[in-house]
Amino acid sequence: MFQKILIANRGEIALRIQRACRELGISTVAVHSTADAEAMHVRLADESVCIGPPPAKDSYLNIPAILSAAAITGADAIHPGYGFLSENASFADMVDAHGLTFIGPSAEHIGMMGDKIAAKTAMAAVGVPLVPGSDGELLDLESARETAARIGYPVLIKAAAGGGGRGMKVARDTSEIEDAYRLARTESRTAFGNDAVYMEKYLDKPRHIELQIMADNHGNVVHFGERDCSLQRRHQKVLEEAGSPAISAVQRDALGETATAALRKLGYRNAGTLEFLYQDGQFAFIEMNTRLQVEHPVTEMLCDVDLVREQIRVASGQLLGYEQRDVTFNGHAIECRITAEDPVTFVPTPGRVTAYHAPGGLGVRIDSALYAGYFVPPYYDSLIAKLIVHAATREAAINRLRRALDEFAVVGIKTTIPLHQRIVNDPEFQAGDYTIHWLEKFVAGG
């Protein structure tokens, strides 16, 4: 087992990883920008190292500074969390080259799944169903037109190196294909330095279903069930559930068997999440995230497992130590992502938190690095807290969530707590009757 882990991240996920390390008896090193000198993950770490000024490119994305921090503190492993360098294959390679352990998948698999075209090709080769689309990159406008004619409109043009909804454009008929193709390429080039795009059939009423897996270095792979991440705004997840109100246990088992068999063939290791669109009883793979997900707590609550602890264990060479039949799914869990944003306009609201009160009680969990007096900086993602609830049934979980949201107080800045209060009181959400397009209409008043 590792003696000291450097956490190459900030905020609630850095604190989350620290807690798992402490329970395993592992010392921690926090890295931070000058803007985060008073952050909770810095205060609670065993050691901390300032790695640069506020801009992420000069600190949390500064690979030489992070590796230097690991060297001077004597860390023997690095956990990247999510975001920042977590899916950077070059970083994973450099960590290994410096004699450290990267707590995550291999650089090979990070690179493979980071290229959406390569990911789809790899998954198709091991029997995972795909959304109908182009065979690879759309090299020119004519190939885009031909592919759209073959699979039928509407179509979605997507960045091969994309994520977070950037580089994605819909063409509903032939009159829109040229603009969609050119805009997707331009946006992809600007956001990712890579203008490669591909095409998928645009589904009109899908749900976004993802499957959490864990694999050790010895060929053992298990899944921890599905999460329903369909409540999204501008392709950004807002609320997640485990399990999905639209998926049966039989469907879960079948999807899990397909996914674990595929990753076993690929020789995958550590944590990963396969993402699917689900419509009319059919699953279609869209991408894989080779890291811990923001929404991992709902799976932890559902299956009573510490996924960060499992990441650390398998990265140190240990066996999973259990089989699929040992994984249980109990009750229902829901997570709300609370952000420092105006709940109506969604404009970011950095500033000083003058008072803070977290909800509590049975089945309530808060993952947050907030405290009274903390200044939410304007330089990073606006996520400030995750409220997770667990109960025996979905109805009970919704009631618990409603109660917890009413208790949650963050004073001094605007947050999206009121948006989540609106969502949980909506009859369609309560019925589980929503798709990936539902929340956009909801916030627009439609």
Side-chain angles (χ1 to χ4, degrees):
M1 182 55 74
F2 306 116
Q3 299 301 307
K4 185 182 292 187
I5 292 176
L6 181 143
I7 303 166
N9 218 295
R10 65 178 299 279
E12 64 85 16
I13 189 58
L15 199 55
R16 166 74 187 89
I17 297 165
Q18 277 183 17
R19 289 167 173 158
C21 289
R22 181 156 295 183
E23 291 178 12
L24 286 167
I26 300 171
S27 298
T28 59
V29 179
V31 294
H32 65 91
S33 69
T34 53
D36 278 338
E38 297 299 318
M40 188 62 76
H41 78 280
V42 177
R43 291 184 171 197
L44 295 183
D46 295 298
E47 301 174 66
S48 63
V49 179
C50 181
I51 54 171
K57 66 181 179 60
D58 298 322
S59 49
Y60 297 106
L61 296 175
N62 187 337
I63 294 176
I66 291 171
L67 293 175
S68 296
I72 64 175
T73 57
D76 47 3
I78 294 179
H79 197 306
Y82 56 72
F84 294 131
L85 295 168
S86 62
E87 292 181 289
N88 187 310
S90 295
F91 178 59
D93 253 340
M94 290 182 195
V95 171
D96 290 342
H98 282 74
L100 305 169
T101 299
F102 180 81
I103 300 177
S106 68
E108 174 192 1
H109 286 122
I110 294 173
M112 176 192 298
M113 296 302 168
D115 182 322
K116 303 301 187 290
I117 295 173
K120 293 183 70 173
T121 301
M123 286 299 182
V126 290
V128 178
L130 306 180
V131 178
S134 58
D135 295 329
E137 180 184 351
L138 297 172
L139 297 175
D140 51 40
L141 178 58
E142 189 55 36
S143 63
R145 287 194 172 111
E146 290 174 357
T147 303
R150 173 172 58 84
I151 66 177
Y153 287 94
V155 297
L156 181 64
I157 300 176
K158 304 174 69 174
R166 291 172 294 180
M168 294 175 61
K169 299 297 173 184
V170 176
R172 299 188 179 278
D173 54 44
T174 56
S175 68
E176 296 180 356
I177 190 69
E178 181 173 354
D179 283 348
Y181 174 74
R182 297 194 189 285
L183 287 170
R185 289 193 64 178
T186 300
E187 192 172 301
S188 178
R189 186 187 306 113
T190 301
F192 310 110
N194 181 344
D195 67 357
V197 296
Y198 64 102
M199 183 182 292
E200 290 179 344
K201 176 71 175 175
Y202 181 75
L203 302 181
D204 59 349
K205 53 179 181 179
R207 297 183 83 110
H208 185 130
I209 305 295
E210 60 185 33
L211 191 80
Q212 176 70 58
I213 67 93
M214 186 70 68
D216 64 22
N217 301 344
H218 309 277
N220 301 300
V221 187
V222 301
H223 73 86
F224 291 98
E226 86 285 357
R227 297 184 288 257
D228 196 319
C229 305
S230 302
L231 288 183
Q232 303 176 15
R233 178 182 174 272
R234 295 184 176 177
H235 305 287
Q236 297 292 316
K237 299 167 186 173
V238 173
L239 180 150
E240 301 96 357
E241 302 191 57
S244 168
I247 305 301
S248 69
V250 172
Q251 289 173 304
R252 169 198 290 161
D253 291 344
L255 183 64
E257 187 174 330
T258 297
T260 53
L263 295 183
R264 200 172 291 115
K265 291 176 184 176
L266 290 174
Y268 191 86
R269 71 181 193 218
N270 215 272
T273 298
L274 289 85
E275 304 201 356
F276 299 85
L277 292 181
Y278 172 76
Q279 183 172 305
D280 300 326
Q282 301 295 317
F283 292 95
F285 173 82
I286 50 173
E287 65 180 322
M288 181 176 184
N289 290 305
T290 52
R291 56 171 168 79
L292 194 68
Q293 296 281 92
V294 176
E295 59 272 20
H296 74 274
V298 289
T299 296
E300 293 185 325
M301 301 286 271
L302 188 74
C303 299
D304 191 25
V305 61
D306 184 332
L307 291 172
V308 178
R309 177 179 182 272
E310 294 304 285
Q311 281 191 292
I312 295 169
R313 285 184 57 251
V314 300
S316 71
Q318 294 185 25
L319 289 162
L320 280 178
Y322 46 86
E323 300 177 4
Q324 190 62 55
R325 63 188 177 190
D326 300 315
V327 178
T328 57
F329 305 96
N330 302 305
H332 195 87
I334 307 174
E335 173 181 294
C336 292
R337 298 192 189 191
I338 310 298
T339 57
E341 296 177 330
D342 185 289
V344 176
T345 66
F346 299 99
V347 173
T349 57
R352 183 77 61 187
V353 176
T354 56
Y356 175 73
H357 176 77
L362 183 67
V364 176
R365 168 178 167 179
I366 294 289
D367 280 19
S368 176
L370 283 190
Y371 59 86
Y374 176 67
F375 186 87
V376 178
Y379 312 104
Y380 313 111
D381 186 272
S382 59
L383 180 69
I384 55 172
K386 299 184 305 195
L387 168 59
I388 311 100
V389 300
H390 177 258
T393 65
R394 184 173 185 269
E395 181 181 4
I398 290 173
N399 289 336
R400 182 162 287 165
L401 180 58
R402 182 184 296 108
R403 185 267 296 171
L405 285 165
D406 289 344
E407 290 181 16
F408 206 165
V410 181
V411 182
I413 60 172
K414 291 183 178 181
T415 76
T416 52
I417 291 173
L419 171 64
H420 289 285
Q421 290 173 314
R422 288 179 55 210
I423 291 171
V424 299
N425 286 311
D426 185 87
E428 289 182 337
F429 169 75
Q430 292 172 0
D433 183 19
Y434 57 84
T435 70
I436 63 171
H437 307 302
W438 184 86
L439 187 59
E440 292 280 8
K441 295 178 182 178
F442 178 78
V443 297

